Amino acid sequence: MESIVATLLSSFRRVPPAAIPAVLDCILTSTAASPSSFFHRLLDEFPHISKDAAHKGEQMDSEWRNSVATYVAAISHFVKKSGPHDMHIFVCSIWIPLLKSIYPCDRELYSMRFQVCFLIL
């Protein structure tokens, strides 16, 4: 599963967030892993992603923005398939800290919050 997660993380820079549900459903179908196990593996990567966000600040390129949006879309998709406990972890551990780290002038990432809300619902 480690190699699948590593490949998935590296693909986030190239895959648009809207395509993530189909990609993840294919991965889930072809593996024996549960959505919750993928969720927790991706959750382990959040400190690295948030550290990069803090380091890049307002100078994030579009590829990095796409990577963050796709990461959040992937986490959201797994949350929908996992259950309410993972939803609580998502909101407290990822969503709120991510919103705090987004600069208000960064409209692309700031508008992502609405897209994620629709992905979760």
Side-chain angles (χ1 to χ4, degrees), residues 6-22:
T7 303
L8 185 60
L9 287 167
S10 69
S11 73
F12 286 170
R13 292 189 180 273
R14 294 175 289 285
V15 177
I20 279 296

Side-chain angles (χ1 to χ4, degrees), residues 43-89:
L43 185 68
D44 292 342
E45 296 299 319
F46 184 70
H48 304 292
I49 291 170
S50 62
K51 183 176 156 184
D52 286 346
H55 177 68
K56 292 183 185 226
E58 293 184 39
Q59 298 160 354
M60 294 179 270
D61 61 9
S62 62
E63 187 177 90
W64 189 88
R65 285 185 182 98
N66 185 70
S67 179
V68 171
T70 303
Y71 171 81
V72 172
I75 289 280
S76 301
H77 187 71
F78 287 134
V79 163
K80 284 191 336 187
K81 294 187 171 281
S82 296
H85 177 69
D86 287 344
M87 173 66 79
H88 176 75
I89 293 170

